[in-house]
Amino acid sequence: VQLQASGGGLVQPGGSLRLSCTASGFTLERYAIGWFRQAPGKEREGVGCMASGASRMIYADTVKGRFTISRDYAKNTVYLQMNGLKPEDTAVYYCAADSTLIRSSWSNAAAYDYWGQGTEVTVSS
């Protein structure tokens, strides 16, 4: 069972990036998928979550309207489209999966069973 996050990089303020989270060894559609980020010296924070079967999406207020979670279950992959990036979005981004997540726990990192390795996003001019 493995999650692989990718797609990070250096982007200018106002730019866009799309992160990917690909699973192997299990079917993503049956899991809630959360995106988290951790900036240097800060705690890991929830960015957004897609419920199992993509039935519902939840976003942190700090990214609402700029970030969108989508999926391609044929590729066993979930995406985080990030538009209008700001310097404060700079962080290492992680995806996580859990089969029994309840909505109220979506931003609780301890609620997730599986984690990707993280991909670094730097927003700077």
Side-chain angles (χ1 to χ4, degrees):
V1 173
Q2 190 174 10
L3 285 173
Q4 179 82 24
S6 62
L10 173 65
V11 62
Q12 292 187 343
S16 298
L17 278 176
R18 188 178 77 162
L19 306 184
S20 300
C21 177
T22 300
S24 57
F26 65 102
T27 302
L28 270 184
E29 186 173 4
R30 299 175 184 172
Y31 288 73
I33 306 300
W35 284 97
F36 289 77
R37 66 186 181 186
Q38 189 165 17
K42 295 188 177 181
E43 293 187 356
R44 191 168 297 190
E45 66 170 343
V47 173
C49 177
M50 172 183 285
S52 59
S55 58
R56 185 187 301 116
M57 259 68 79
I58 306 169
Y59 299 96
D61 288 342
T62 51
V63 306
K64 200 173 294 182
R66 299 188 297 122
F67 290 12
T68 303
I69 299 173
S70 63
R71 86 292 190 195
D72 184 341
Y73 287 144
K75 295 182 178 179
N76 217 23
T77 298
V78 172
Y79 304 99
L80 179 67
Q81 178 67 43
M82 306 186 295
N83 299 328
L85 284 162
K86 306 174 181 180
E88 52 263 42
D89 295 318
T90 295
V92 177
Y93 283 72
Y94 300 87
C95 59
D98 191 80
S99 61
T100 61
L101 189 75
I102 60 174
R103 180 174 181 171
S104 60
S105 297
W106 79 266
S107 61
N108 179 4
Y112 292 81
D113 286 336
Y114 305 111
W115 286 83
Q117 84 288 3
T119 184
E120 189 168 2
V121 172
T122 302
V123 185
S124 175
S125 55

